[in-house]
Amino acid sequence: MRTELARLSPTEASFEDISATLQARLTEFVRLARTNQYKVGVAELLQVQSAILLIDPFNIRELRSLLKTTLCSELRDWQRFDELFDSYWQPLRTKKTLRSSMGSQNALTKTSANETGAKSERSGQADEAASGGSDESTGEGYREGASRTTTLEKIDFGSITDPEQMRAMELEVERIARLMRKRLSRRSRLDSRGTKIDLRKTLRTSLRYGGETFELARKKNKARQPRLMLVLDVSRSMSMYSFLFLRFARGLSTLFRDSSVFAFHTQLIPITDALRQSNLARVRNSLAMMSQGWSGGTQIGEALTQLQNRYGSWINSRTLTVIVSDGFDTGEAEKMSDAMRSLSQKSRRILWINPLLGRDGYQAETAGMKAALPWIDSFVGAHNLETLRQLDREFARLA
Amino acid sequence: MTEAIDTFDQFGQRLQSAGYIADSELSSALWLFHKMQRPLLLEGDAGVGKTEIAKVLSKVFDCPLIRLQCYEGLDLNAAVYEWNYQQQLLAIRTAEADQANQRAELEIFSRKFLMERPLLAAISQNRSPVLLIDEIDRADEEFEAFLLEVLSDFQISIPELGTVSATHKPFVILTSNGTRQLSDALRRRCLFHYVDYPSFDKELRIISTRLPEVGIRLARQIVGFVQDLRKRDLVKRPGIAETLDWAAALMHLQVESIDQDLNLLRSSMLCLLKTQEDASSLEDFEIERLVARAI
């Protein structure tokens, strides 16, 4: 088949040149990828259908490589591709949990199946590939089989008990934070009211006056990146989330040039330097040693007052204050309200991330949360990766 | 290109003879990239050899390499083209002095006054070059949006001249360290390959190829040590370049086995650990443990 197909360039060949079954299976696989959140559509399908002419579709390695290179568009796709591929094209090789979801019909046209000994292995693989069903009913099953990694997206941070899953989650959380950085651009923009002269544009304009400079083009610098101040609640009620948000904080703080991070429960502790340590478990231990109150009660109002008293110089009109807390406060609501009012007057914006928000049935009805709400610019939930990713927009909006 | 490359494996061999050790997955991806001639987006941590891939491809294809290094604030004038203002002004003055030459003003926006920057240069070649757009994640979103036109149609619009289309489609490699999320539109125009840190065998082959004088015993120890070190929670994990530097350093220090002198080993590790946090986080007993596992 390869030799026949190799003579044809993708543009010369029509789809009839390739086995209709193979095309159908490719279509189905692309659809399967799509249901597994791969960003693929008709364009990718056409690309795969034409590129299949370049390879030997009975060679599982070549087929895998083609589909992987063409259908993946980011690391997340890449990491879970082999599982998806095997579940569809090599169901016999995949784990039992996946195999149960496989149907079996529509064999590929096996033109190369009986040629040589070397090829027999190939065709064996092709047989396996061919036996991975193609009926509509199997679609759901594949999604189920290939979704082990994708489900990480929707798992509530508070419900993870598997250490391996926790590790994967931590890495992802930190990665999201790194991607979230609103980048400071040094680039200046043309602006008629700008303070600097843009020489290039001025020269360009002068050409129409025969080289005489009549008009000055001006530019001004783009808005500066905000100063980031992260305040993390590490009290007992947040213990399921605090470690993940510690990683999140580390991801953000390493990329924001101007950032500071604080942890609080009954007291406030600056942890910016501690976060720079590479071993976060050690950070957590040292934090625990620094304070007896780790995972103890919460006095948010008191902590925010301490923040302004001790680190007041840090808070100004450029500061984006991000508070991560569930709002369970054992202190007085009035103190909370006062602290928040004064913080909102000093800061540029306040973003409150409440990991409980977004859970079914949760409403911000604690006294502390109610007292804080009027002073918050944006109140968002982040209890799983999916919602954490959406914080990107909030950061961009507030910054 | 010097000769046809028909299979994945042949392509892998060509890469190897050009000095690049690629695993089968990467050589397959590059073979497809070569055949399909679609842009290839290479993602991976800094130091895993992404840029090197473009360099070696230009050797394999025997064609020029045109490199565009991206940075914050990169604009079209630096990436695509710029008019040569000085020459244009000079031409205007000359035309003014020479009353007979009235057509000069019409010609100041011709190719003669156009300075080609990497993107325009890449589509104006007589043969397909390798165009390396390095660290695209550092560029602004506006520039990324502009790239879409270039990558899908291989043409550039210059208002004064019209549209310049590629005479020979370049082989475009984009690299990204993943510091910023790239747009879906850009990703969908590219093939994708994630370049991970090398496996033990691959890294050993790289050292043996690049620094054969190190000797297989020491090379195995070095690779084992570095592979273990990468599993630690480091700010900057050592890449292939760091391994090669460290191997060269140990060779010059006449180290025959990494358990020979721990003090010497620790001081040589500045080749591997590039931040103060990483260097100070590694205690002596941890180094000893890594050494014990590697030998």
Side-chain angles (χ1 to χ4, degrees), chain A residues 2 10 54, chain B residues 4-8 11 29-38 61 171:
Chain A
R2 178 185 166 71
L54 299 168
Chain B
I5 306 166
D6 289 328
T7 66
F8 284 18
F11 200 80
L30 292 176
W31 184 83
L32 283 166
F33 158 71
H34 160 57
K35 289 287 176 191
M36 293 167 77
Q37 246 188 320
R38 282 179 66 84
F61 298 158
F171 296 99

PDB file of all heavy atoms in Angstrom, chain A residues 2 10 54, chain B residues 4-8 11 29-38 61 171:
ATOM      1  N   ARG A   2       1.959   1.134   0.787  1.00  0.00           N
ATOM      2  CA  ARG A   2       2.822   2.281   0.907  1.00  0.00           C
ATOM      3  C   ARG A   2       3.355   2.722  -0.456  1.00  0.00           C
ATOM      4  O   ARG A   2       3.319   3.890  -0.804  1.00  0.00           O
ATOM      5  CB  ARG A   2       3.986   1.945   1.828  1.00  0.00           C
ATOM      6  CG  ARG A   2       4.940   3.075   1.947  1.00  0.00           C
ATOM      7  CD  ARG A   2       6.141   2.699   2.756  1.00  0.00           C
ATOM      8  NE  ARG A   2       7.134   3.727   2.533  1.00  0.00           N
ATOM      9  CZ  ARG A   2       7.044   4.940   2.998  1.00  0.00           C
ATOM     10  NH1 ARG A   2       6.021   5.310   3.700  1.00  0.00           N
ATOM     11  NH2 ARG A   2       7.979   5.836   2.744  1.00  0.00           N
ATOM     12  N   PRO A  10      -0.347  14.471  -1.762  1.00  0.00           N
ATOM     13  CA  PRO A  10      -1.640  14.679  -1.137  1.00  0.00           C
ATOM     14  C   PRO A  10      -2.610  15.432  -2.044  1.00  0.00           C
ATOM     15  O   PRO A  10      -3.797  15.179  -2.025  1.00  0.00           O
ATOM     16  CB  PRO A  10      -1.301  15.517   0.087  1.00  0.00           C
ATOM     17  CG  PRO A  10       0.117  15.236   0.367  1.00  0.00           C
ATOM     18  CD  PRO A  10       0.749  14.916  -0.937  1.00  0.00           C
ATOM     19  N   LEU A  54       1.334   9.865   2.952  1.00  0.00           N
ATOM     20  CA  LEU A  54       2.786   9.970   3.051  1.00  0.00           C
ATOM     21  C   LEU A  54       3.394   8.823   3.850  1.00  0.00           C
ATOM     22  O   LEU A  54       4.585   8.590   3.795  1.00  0.00           O
ATOM     23  CB  LEU A  54       3.170  11.294   3.728  1.00  0.00           C
ATOM     24  CG  LEU A  54       2.741  12.578   3.034  1.00  0.00           C
ATOM     25  CD1 LEU A  54       2.918  13.764   3.956  1.00  0.00           C
ATOM     26  CD2 LEU A  54       3.564  12.761   1.759  1.00  0.00           C
TER      27      LEU A  54
ATOM     28  N   ALA B   4      16.814  12.296  -1.596  1.00  0.00           N
ATOM     29  CA  ALA B   4      15.494  12.053  -1.011  1.00  0.00           C
ATOM     30  C   ALA B   4      15.618  11.265   0.292  1.00  0.00           C
ATOM     31  O   ALA B   4      16.507  10.435   0.450  1.00  0.00           O
ATOM     32  CB  ALA B   4      14.645  11.286  -2.006  1.00  0.00           C
ATOM     33  N   ILE B   5      14.729  11.570   1.212  1.00  0.00           N
ATOM     34  CA  ILE B   5      14.703  10.839   2.470  1.00  0.00           C
ATOM     35  C   ILE B   5      13.343  10.164   2.540  1.00  0.00           C
ATOM     36  O   ILE B   5      12.326  10.823   2.648  1.00  0.00           O
ATOM     37  CB  ILE B   5      14.882  11.798   3.665  1.00  0.00           C
ATOM     38  CG1 ILE B   5      16.149  12.634   3.492  1.00  0.00           C
ATOM     39  CG2 ILE B   5      14.950  11.024   4.964  1.00  0.00           C
ATOM     40  CD1 ILE B   5      16.237  13.815   4.420  1.00  0.00           C
ATOM     41  N   ASP B   6      13.338   8.827   2.427  1.00  0.00           N
ATOM     42  CA  ASP B   6      12.065   8.146   2.237  1.00  0.00           C
ATOM     43  C   ASP B   6      11.413   7.615   3.495  1.00  0.00           C
ATOM     44  O   ASP B   6      10.218   7.435   3.552  1.00  0.00           O
ATOM     45  CB  ASP B   6      12.230   6.997   1.231  1.00  0.00           C
ATOM     46  CG  ASP B   6      12.442   7.556  -0.165  1.00  0.00           C
ATOM     47  OD1 ASP B   6      11.880   8.628  -0.433  1.00  0.00           O
ATOM     48  OD2 ASP B   6      13.174   6.938  -0.940  1.00  0.00           O
ATOM     49  N   THR B   7      12.208   7.318   4.517  1.00  0.00           N
ATOM     50  CA  THR B   7      11.589   6.702   5.695  1.00  0.00           C
ATOM     51  C   THR B   7      11.964   7.456   6.964  1.00  0.00           C
ATOM     52  O   THR B   7      12.910   8.238   6.986  1.00  0.00           O
ATOM     53  CB  THR B   7      12.052   5.245   5.860  1.00  0.00           C
ATOM     54  OG1 THR B   7      13.446   5.270   6.143  1.00  0.00           O
ATOM     55  CG2 THR B   7      11.777   4.421   4.628  1.00  0.00           C
ATOM     56  N   PHE B   8      11.209   7.143   8.002  1.00  0.00           N
ATOM     57  CA  PHE B   8      11.483   7.748   9.310  1.00  0.00           C
ATOM     58  C   PHE B   8      12.919   7.444   9.735  1.00  0.00           C
ATOM     59  O   PHE B   8      13.649   8.305  10.191  1.00  0.00           O
ATOM     60  CB  PHE B   8      10.552   7.142  10.375  1.00  0.00           C
ATOM     61  CG  PHE B   8       9.133   7.647  10.319  1.00  0.00           C
ATOM     62  CD1 PHE B   8       8.623   8.265   9.197  1.00  0.00           C
ATOM     63  CD2 PHE B   8       8.312   7.497  11.416  1.00  0.00           C
ATOM     64  CE1 PHE B   8       7.314   8.717   9.161  1.00  0.00           C
ATOM     65  CE2 PHE B   8       7.006   7.947  11.406  1.00  0.00           C
ATOM     66  CZ  PHE B   8       6.506   8.559  10.266  1.00  0.00           C
ATOM     67  N   PHE B  11      15.638   9.219   8.061  1.00  0.00           N
ATOM     68  CA  PHE B  11      15.713  10.607   8.530  1.00  0.00           C
ATOM     69  C   PHE B  11      16.475  10.673   9.851  1.00  0.00           C
ATOM     70  O   PHE B  11      17.291  11.558  10.068  1.00  0.00           O
ATOM     71  CB  PHE B  11      14.299  11.179   8.699  1.00  0.00           C
ATOM     72  CG  PHE B  11      14.268  12.665   8.696  1.00  0.00           C
ATOM     73  CD1 PHE B  11      14.307  13.372   7.507  1.00  0.00           C
ATOM     74  CD2 PHE B  11      14.217  13.388   9.872  1.00  0.00           C
ATOM     75  CE1 PHE B  11      14.299  14.755   7.484  1.00  0.00           C
ATOM     76  CE2 PHE B  11      14.214  14.771   9.870  1.00  0.00           C
ATOM     77  CZ  PHE B  11      14.247  15.452   8.667  1.00  0.00           C
ATOM     78  N   ALA B  29       8.524  12.866  13.771  1.00  0.00           N
ATOM     79  CA  ALA B  29       7.851  14.168  13.690  1.00  0.00           C
ATOM     80  C   ALA B  29       8.558  15.070  12.678  1.00  0.00           C
ATOM     81  O   ALA B  29       7.918  15.762  11.882  1.00  0.00           O
ATOM     82  CB  ALA B  29       7.819  14.831  15.059  1.00  0.00           C
ATOM     83  N   LEU B  30       9.903  15.023  12.698  1.00  0.00           N
ATOM     84  CA  LEU B  30      10.644  15.889  11.779  1.00  0.00           C
ATOM     85  C   LEU B  30      10.499  15.418  10.338  1.00  0.00           C
ATOM     86  O   LEU B  30      10.483  16.223   9.405  1.00  0.00           O
ATOM     87  CB  LEU B  30      12.124  15.941  12.180  1.00  0.00           C
ATOM     88  CG  LEU B  30      12.395  16.649  13.515  1.00  0.00           C
ATOM     89  CD1 LEU B  30      13.865  16.567  13.888  1.00  0.00           C
ATOM     90  CD2 LEU B  30      11.952  18.097  13.465  1.00  0.00           C
ATOM     91  N   TRP B  31      10.394  14.112  10.167  1.00  0.00           N
ATOM     92  CA  TRP B  31      10.194  13.571   8.818  1.00  0.00           C
ATOM     93  C   TRP B  31       8.847  14.060   8.261  1.00  0.00           C
ATOM     94  O   TRP B  31       8.749  14.501   7.122  1.00  0.00           O
ATOM     95  CB  TRP B  31      10.237  12.041   8.881  1.00  0.00           C
ATOM     96  CG  TRP B  31      10.142  11.382   7.547  1.00  0.00           C
ATOM     97  CD1 TRP B  31      11.160  11.159   6.667  1.00  0.00           C
ATOM     98  CD2 TRP B  31       8.961  10.872   6.925  1.00  0.00           C
ATOM     99  NE1 TRP B  31      10.690  10.535   5.547  1.00  0.00           N
ATOM    100  CE2 TRP B  31       9.340  10.346   5.673  1.00  0.00           C
ATOM    101  CE3 TRP B  31       7.630  10.799   7.298  1.00  0.00           C
ATOM    102  CZ2 TRP B  31       8.445   9.762   4.799  1.00  0.00           C
ATOM    103  CZ3 TRP B  31       6.720  10.207   6.431  1.00  0.00           C
ATOM    104  CH2 TRP B  31       7.125   9.702   5.197  1.00  0.00           C
ATOM    105  N   LEU B  32       7.825  13.990   9.106  1.00  0.00           N
ATOM    106  CA  LEU B  32       6.500  14.458   8.686  1.00  0.00           C
ATOM    107  C   LEU B  32       6.513  15.961   8.403  1.00  0.00           C
ATOM    108  O   LEU B  32       5.899  16.442   7.460  1.00  0.00           O
ATOM    109  CB  LEU B  32       5.465  14.160   9.776  1.00  0.00           C
ATOM    110  CG  LEU B  32       5.018  12.703   9.843  1.00  0.00           C
ATOM    111  CD1 LEU B  32       4.285  12.431  11.137  1.00  0.00           C
ATOM    112  CD2 LEU B  32       4.130  12.371   8.649  1.00  0.00           C
ATOM    113  N   PHE B  33       7.236  16.668   9.245  1.00  0.00           N
ATOM    114  CA  PHE B  33       7.378  18.121   9.074  1.00  0.00           C
ATOM    115  C   PHE B  33       7.998  18.421   7.710  1.00  0.00           C
ATOM    116  O   PHE B  33       7.557  19.298   6.971  1.00  0.00           O
ATOM    117  CB  PHE B  33       8.254  18.643  10.220  1.00  0.00           C
ATOM    118  CG  PHE B  33       8.932  19.960   9.980  1.00  0.00           C
ATOM    119  CD1 PHE B  33       8.200  21.139   9.953  1.00  0.00           C
ATOM    120  CD2 PHE B  33      10.311  20.032   9.816  1.00  0.00           C
ATOM    121  CE1 PHE B  33       8.823  22.360   9.750  1.00  0.00           C
ATOM    122  CE2 PHE B  33      10.941  21.246   9.620  1.00  0.00           C
ATOM    123  CZ  PHE B  33      10.199  22.412   9.581  1.00  0.00           C
ATOM    124  N   HIS B  34       8.993  17.622   7.367  1.00  0.00           N
ATOM    125  CA  HIS B  34       9.686  17.791   6.102  1.00  0.00           C
ATOM    126  C   HIS B  34       8.763  17.465   4.927  1.00  0.00           C
ATOM    127  O   HIS B  34       8.704  18.184   3.933  1.00  0.00           O
ATOM    128  CB  HIS B  34      10.919  16.883   6.135  1.00  0.00           C
ATOM    129  CG  HIS B  34      11.495  16.557   4.808  1.00  0.00           C
ATOM    130  ND1 HIS B  34      11.912  17.520   3.931  1.00  0.00           N
ATOM    131  CD2 HIS B  34      11.735  15.357   4.220  1.00  0.00           C
ATOM    132  CE1 HIS B  34      12.379  16.927   2.847  1.00  0.00           C
ATOM    133  NE2 HIS B  34      12.271  15.630   2.997  1.00  0.00           N
ATOM    134  N   LYS B  35       7.989  16.391   5.082  1.00  0.00           N
ATOM    135  CA  LYS B  35       7.113  15.976   3.985  1.00  0.00           C
ATOM    136  C   LYS B  35       5.896  16.882   3.846  1.00  0.00           C
ATOM    137  O   LYS B  35       5.470  17.201   2.739  1.00  0.00           O
ATOM    138  CB  LYS B  35       6.628  14.530   4.222  1.00  0.00           C
ATOM    139  CG  LYS B  35       7.701  13.489   4.044  1.00  0.00           C
ATOM    140  CD  LYS B  35       8.037  13.320   2.579  1.00  0.00           C
ATOM    141  CE  LYS B  35       9.175  12.338   2.380  1.00  0.00           C
ATOM    142  NZ  LYS B  35       9.689  12.352   1.013  1.00  0.00           N
ATOM    143  N   MET B  36       5.313  17.265   4.978  1.00  0.00           N
ATOM    144  CA  MET B  36       4.076  18.050   4.915  1.00  0.00           C
ATOM    145  C   MET B  36       4.367  19.536   4.739  1.00  0.00           C
ATOM    146  O   MET B  36       3.503  20.304   4.357  1.00  0.00           O
ATOM    147  CB  MET B  36       3.245  17.836   6.191  1.00  0.00           C
ATOM    148  CG  MET B  36       2.714  16.424   6.318  1.00  0.00           C
ATOM    149  SD  MET B  36       2.075  16.059   7.970  1.00  0.00           S
ATOM    150  CE  MET B  36       0.499  16.896   7.914  1.00  0.00           C
ATOM    151  N   GLN B  37       5.553  19.923   5.095  1.00  0.00           N
ATOM    152  CA  GLN B  37       5.996  21.323   5.030  1.00  0.00           C
ATOM    153  C   GLN B  37       5.036  22.277   5.741  1.00  0.00           C
ATOM    154  O   GLN B  37       4.705  23.347   5.237  1.00  0.00           O
ATOM    155  CB  GLN B  37       6.230  21.761   3.597  1.00  0.00           C
ATOM    156  CG  GLN B  37       7.711  22.050   3.393  1.00  0.00           C
ATOM    157  CD  GLN B  37       8.034  22.681   2.072  1.00  0.00           C
ATOM    158  OE1 GLN B  37       7.470  22.308   1.076  1.00  0.00           O
ATOM    159  NE2 GLN B  37       8.950  23.620   2.043  1.00  0.00           N
ATOM    160  N   ARG B  38       4.559  21.832   6.871  1.00  0.00           N
ATOM    161  CA  ARG B  38       3.769  22.714   7.729  1.00  0.00           C
ATOM    162  C   ARG B  38       4.667  23.208   8.850  1.00  0.00           C
ATOM    163  O   ARG B  38       5.620  22.526   9.231  1.00  0.00           O
ATOM    164  CB  ARG B  38       2.589  21.946   8.339  1.00  0.00           C
ATOM    165  CG  ARG B  38       1.436  21.734   7.387  1.00  0.00           C
ATOM    166  CD  ARG B  38       0.344  20.967   8.070  1.00  0.00           C
ATOM    167  NE  ARG B  38      -0.280  21.712   9.152  1.00  0.00           N
ATOM    168  CZ  ARG B  38      -1.255  22.594   8.983  1.00  0.00           C
ATOM    169  NH1 ARG B  38      -1.715  22.819   7.781  1.00  0.00           N
ATOM    170  NH2 ARG B  38      -1.779  23.233  10.003  1.00  0.00           N
ATOM    171  N   PHE B  61      18.948  19.502   5.390  1.00  0.00           N
ATOM    172  CA  PHE B  61      18.322  19.929   4.136  1.00  0.00           C
ATOM    173  C   PHE B  61      19.309  20.681   3.241  1.00  0.00           C
ATOM    174  O   PHE B  61      18.974  21.057   2.128  1.00  0.00           O
ATOM    175  CB  PHE B  61      17.128  20.859   4.410  1.00  0.00           C
ATOM    176  CG  PHE B  61      16.012  20.225   5.206  1.00  0.00           C
ATOM    177  CD1 PHE B  61      15.112  21.020   5.902  1.00  0.00           C
ATOM    178  CD2 PHE B  61      15.851  18.855   5.255  1.00  0.00           C
ATOM    179  CE1 PHE B  61      14.078  20.454   6.639  1.00  0.00           C
ATOM    180  CE2 PHE B  61      14.821  18.283   5.993  1.00  0.00           C
ATOM    181  CZ  PHE B  61      13.941  19.078   6.686  1.00  0.00           C
ATOM    182  N   PHE B 171      10.792  26.080   5.610  1.00  0.00           N
ATOM    183  CA  PHE B 171      10.498  25.109   6.673  1.00  0.00           C
ATOM    184  C   PHE B 171      10.497  25.894   7.981  1.00  0.00           C
ATOM    185  O   PHE B 171      11.556  26.360   8.407  1.00  0.00           O
ATOM    186  CB  PHE B 171      11.584  24.030   6.751  1.00  0.00           C
ATOM    187  CG  PHE B 171      11.679  23.180   5.516  1.00  0.00           C
ATOM    188  CD1 PHE B 171      12.648  23.431   4.553  1.00  0.00           C
ATOM    189  CD2 PHE B 171      10.802  22.122   5.323  1.00  0.00           C
ATOM    190  CE1 PHE B 171      12.748  22.647   3.422  1.00  0.00           C
ATOM    191  CE2 PHE B 171      10.891  21.329   4.190  1.00  0.00           C
ATOM    192  CZ  PHE B 171      11.863  21.593   3.236  1.00  0.00           C
TER     193      PHE B 171
END
